[in-house]
């Protein structure tokens, strides 16, 4: 056998380098000190010291999502490992490729309740795509490279390698496997040709079609987003997106209907409700998208493209399921469309597009303006206008501010929008912004935050300052856990139980305490100037934007309701529409 003799700790560093890793997020502890010692003796791999292990995983997520690479994490045993569980679950639900190395007590102490021992494999089994407990130095090189393959192929996800301390000290032969793969995991890449042909024929006969796109398009790579744009162009189909899919199709394109789902647009939700052919590309029919399942897209034939076979028919019964990588399937679908013996008449859904234009005219994102108090929607709009011509990356925390960011910040490119979708993790945005900034040193990175969420991982400001990362934290401060307050107002008789954010810090002083710049603005007329000042600063900034405390996020589909049961804003604007025009006999807000 050829190869090089080295310790297990050295193998970890070598495997990372062989996999093209340049940045590692972590926090040291006794069970991983051999690996940290190996880090000390090299300069190729940059380690970023976070202030909490959860922050390490979210930073790795931001790095992975904005770069298309695998994010890497290194933490110690016991509490180090348990502190990453939230991040692992977040990455699992949002299909983010991560490789996380956790330290473990020596193999002879496993099962003895040794200091900082926990069953990491057992704890993380259900929140990882795969995990390993390494018991032999001979298995370590294979496992390390398998971890990268499993994390990044098929439906991406997090992989944990639990590495006992004695294996880190042990010496063995390191050899990079000649075949990068896994002996049993062989995810599908190409879609079934017959299923693709059937899907294209169904699409060619559609009268009320819609393309429903998700994060799988972005995960497939920039080529998949380009192919999606081509498919929309040649078919003329309108396009909507999940929260995770924003940017895969340009928001500025006239065919884009906006985001779908609980806080999606009027036109996107009604198009989904009334379409006759729906093509789901790289999405998983999440409950925030479908609303009431028995009323979801009731008139449509459904086509589902997904790299994960288990997602097909898991939530919604579809007519045609295609298992394969989005990019590969879209390429074959385009070829099949162009090879049709007779191109479909583009005028066949003129009536459908006219109806969609009527829904768009409702201007569902309009809101009552104010000259005295900053509306949160206005704050995001002004931020977008200041950033739209720059290479901008947006991360968010979770809550109303997240939905306003999705609604009012327009994304024309993939990998520019990093948010917690499936798990809805408060505290995600700041560490994700740090990872995004490290992956894109020439980019403008902004975390649109709420005053409650930002406190969940505010300690990562130390990381931003230490590494001189010019991330901007743009807080929409309404002094409430805004989405909780909104649900309490609309669904619980305005009983605001524990949703008021009392004893908030002075965010300007807090920023200064960390060594960053702090700013505050509470007047609409001063907002543009303050945003310009924030963007001009070459270091990290916490911007405390004081907004309307009682503003709600609309449209909104209440939990358990259908797409045509949206709650809409009472803003009339220039449309002159009265709410009575869209209220049914049952009191639901409908067309």
């Amino acid at each position: 056998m050829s190869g090089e003799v080295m310790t297990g700790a050295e193998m970890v560093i070598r495997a990372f380098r062989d996999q093209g890793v340049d940045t590692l997020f972590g926090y040291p502890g006794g069970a991983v000190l051999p690996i940290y010692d190996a880090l000390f003796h090299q300069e190729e791999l940059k380690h970023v010291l976070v202030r909490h292990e959860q922050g390490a995983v979210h930073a790795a997520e931001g790095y992975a999502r904005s770069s298309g690479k695998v994010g890497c994490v290194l933490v110690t045993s016991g509490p180090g490992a348990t502190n990453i569980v939230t991040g692992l679950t977040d990455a699992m639900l949002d299909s983010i490729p991560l490789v996380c190395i956790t330290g473990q007590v020596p193999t002879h102490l496993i099962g003895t309740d040794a200091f900082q021992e926990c069953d990491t494999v057992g704890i993380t089994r259900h929140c990882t795509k795969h995990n390993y407990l390494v018991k032999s130095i001979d298995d370590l090189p294979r496992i390390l490279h398998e971890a990268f393959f499993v994390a990044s192929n098929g439906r991406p996800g997090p992989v944990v390698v639990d590495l006992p301390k004695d294996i880190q000290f042990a010496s063995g032969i390191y050899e990079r496997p000649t075949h990068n793969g896994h002996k049993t995991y062989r995810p599908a890449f190409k879609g079934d040709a017959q299923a693709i042909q059937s899907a294209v024929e169904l699409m060619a006969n559609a009268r009320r079609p819609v393309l429903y796109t998700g994060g799988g398009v972005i995960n497939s790579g920039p080529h998949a987003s380009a192919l999606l744009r081509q498919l929309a162009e040649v078919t003329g189909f309108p396009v909507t997106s999940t929260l995770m899919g924003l940017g895969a199709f340009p928001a500025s394109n006239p065919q884009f209907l906006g985001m779908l789902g609980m806080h999606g647009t009027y036109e996107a939700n009604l198009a989904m409700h009334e379409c006759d052919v729906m093509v789901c590309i790289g999405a998983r029919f999440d409950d925030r998208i479908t609303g009431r399942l028995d009323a979801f897209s009731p008139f449509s034939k459904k086509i589902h493209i997904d790299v994960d076979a288990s997602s097909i028919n898991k939530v919604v019964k579809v007519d045609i399921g295609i298992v394969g990588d989005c990019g590969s399937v879209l390429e074959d679908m385009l070829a099949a469309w162009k090879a049709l013996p007779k191109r479909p008449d583009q005028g066949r859904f003129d009536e459908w597009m006219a109806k969609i234009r009527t829904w768009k005219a409702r201007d569902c994102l309009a809101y009552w303006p104010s000259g005295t108090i900053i509306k949160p929607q206005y704050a995001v709009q002004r931020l977008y206008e200041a950033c739209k011509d720059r290479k901008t990356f947006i991360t968010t925390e979770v809550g109303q501010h997240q939905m306003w960011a999705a609604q009012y910040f327009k994304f024309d490119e993939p990998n520019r929008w990093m948010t917690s979708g499936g798990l809805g993790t408060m505290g995600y945005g700041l560490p994700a912004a740090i990872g995004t900034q490290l992956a894109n040193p020439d980019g403008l990175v902004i975390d649109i935050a709420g005053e409650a969420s930002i406190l969940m991982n505010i300690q990562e400001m130390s990381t931003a300052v230490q590494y001189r990362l010019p991330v901007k934290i743009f807080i929409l401060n309404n002094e409430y856990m805004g989405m909780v307050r909104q649900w309490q107002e609309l669904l619980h008789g305005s009983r605001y139980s524990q949703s008021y954010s009392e004893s908030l810090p002075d965010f300007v002083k807090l920023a200064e305490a960390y060594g960053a710049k702090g700013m505050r603005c509470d007047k609409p007329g001063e907002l543009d100037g303050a945003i310009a000042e924030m963007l001009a600063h070459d270091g990290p900034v916490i911007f405390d934007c004081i907004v309307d405390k009682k503003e709600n996020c609309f449209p909104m589909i209440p939990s358990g309701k259908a797409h045509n049961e949206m709650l809409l804003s009472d803003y009339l604007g220039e449309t002159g529409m009265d709410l009575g025009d869209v209220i049914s006999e049952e009191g639901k807000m409908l067309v």
Side-chain angles (χ1 to χ4, degrees), residues 300-464:
S300 70
K301 295 289 187 180
K302 299 172 180 65
I303 300 164
H304 188 187
I305 302 166
D306 203 293
V307 74
D308 182 4
S310 69
S311 290
I312 307 293
N313 293 318
K314 180 179 181 179
V315 177
V316 171
K317 176 70 175 176
V318 299
D319 299 277
I320 300 175
I322 303 172
V323 180
D325 174 77
C326 287
S328 173
V329 174
L330 285 171
E331 188 172 3
D332 291 345
M333 189 172 275
L334 269 167
W337 182 273
K338 293 174 182 178
L340 287 170
K342 183 181 178 181
R343 292 289 178 88
D345 176 19
Q346 285 284 13
R348 73 193 186 283
F349 45 78
D350 283 350
E351 184 179 337
W352 177 236
M353 299 308 291
K355 196 167 192 179
I356 288 173
R357 286 192 293 273
T358 300
W359 293 332
K360 283 188 174 183
R362 173 63 178 83
D363 196 10
C364 67
L365 297 182
Y367 55 91
W368 291 106
S370 173
T372 59
I373 190 168
I374 298 174
K375 293 287 186 173
Q377 304 95 319
Y378 178 76
V380 176
Q381 285 178 316
R382 299 318 301 164
L383 182 65
Y384 168 71
E385 289 299 325
C387 302
K388 65 181 180 181
D389 296 325
R390 301 178 63 170
K391 185 180 178 182
T392 304
F393 299 82
I394 298 295
T395 71
T396 76
E397 310 294 333
V398 170
Q400 284 180 319
H401 63 274
Q402 176 190 29
M403 294 298 105
W404 283 317
Q407 291 173 335
Y408 295 96
F409 207 101
K410 309 302 181 184
F411 298 94
D412 280 350
E413 297 181 50
N415 305 106
R416 299 293 183 88
W417 165 249
M418 278 60 66
T419 195
S420 175
L423 193 61
T425 308
M426 295 174 71
Y428 170 89
L430 174 52
I434 288 169
T436 300
Q437 188 75 79
L438 284 160
N440 302 273
D442 60 338
L444 170 62
V445 181
I446 303 171
D447 173 26
I448 298 178
E451 84 291 332
S453 277
I454 192 63
L455 293 178
M456 289 282 191
N457 274 316
I458 191 64
Q459 75 283 341
E460 299 307 329
M461 278 304 296
S462 287
T463 307

Side-chain angles (χ1 to χ4, degrees), residues 168-378:
Q168 297 172 43
F169 277 123
S171 292
I173 297 175
Y174 175 84
E175 187 174 27
R176 183 173 182 176
T178 56
H179 173 67
N180 185 30
H182 188 280
K183 62 182 179 181
T184 58
Y185 179 58
R186 298 182 180 89
F189 184 79
K190 295 283 288 183
D192 179 76
Q194 185 174 348
I196 291 172
Q197 185 63 41
S198 298
V200 167
E201 291 172 1
L202 186 60
M203 292 163 62
N205 292 307
R207 293 294 182 269
R208 302 187 308 278
V210 67
L211 297 179
Y212 153 40
T213 63
V217 179
I218 295 174
N219 286 342
S220 182
H223 69 293
S225 295
L227 291 167
L228 171 63
R229 297 168 196 218
Q230 291 177 40
L231 183 66
E233 182 179 358
V234 299
T235 62
F237 288 9
V239 182
T240 185
S241 171
T242 67
L243 179 73
M244 303 304 294
L246 293 175
F249 190 80
S252 59
N253 190 300
Q255 289 172 245
F256 190 58
L257 304 178
M259 184 175 69
L260 174 73
M262 179 171 283
H263 291 287
T265 65
Y266 188 64
E267 52 269 27
N269 284 329
L270 290 181
M272 181 60 77
H273 185 74
E274 296 198 12
C275 68
D276 66 349
V277 172
M278 176 256 285
V279 186
C280 174
I281 309 171
R284 58 185 178 89
F285 294 102
D286 175 76
D287 63 288
R288 290 295 174 104
I289 292 297
T290 63
R292 200 175 85 231
L293 270 176
D294 62 1
F296 172 67
S297 196
F299 312 111
S300 70
K301 295 289 187 180
K302 299 172 180 65
I303 300 164
H304 188 187
I305 302 166
D306 203 293
V307 74
D308 182 4
S310 69
S311 290
I312 307 293
N313 293 318
K314 180 179 181 179
V315 177
V316 171
K317 176 70 175 176
V318 299
D319 299 277
I320 300 175
I322 303 172
V323 180
D325 174 77
C326 287
S328 173
V329 174
L330 285 171
E331 188 172 3
D332 291 345
M333 189 172 275
L334 269 167
W337 182 273
K338 293 174 182 178
L340 287 170
K342 183 181 178 181
R343 292 289 178 88
D345 176 19
Q346 285 284 13
R348 73 193 186 283
F349 45 78
D350 283 350
E351 184 179 337
W352 177 236
M353 299 308 291
K355 196 167 192 179
I356 288 173
R357 286 192 293 273
T358 300
W359 293 332
K360 283 188 174 183
R362 173 63 178 83
D363 196 10
C364 67
L365 297 182
Y367 55 91
W368 291 106
S370 173
T372 59
I373 190 168
I374 298 174
K375 293 287 186 173
Q377 304 95 319
Y378 178 76

Side-chain angles (χ1 to χ4, degrees), residues 526-541:
E526 298 175 1
L527 185 58
D528 284 352
I531 289 174
E533 182 183 346
M534 175 186 75
L535 299 182
H537 185 67
D538 62 359
V541 178

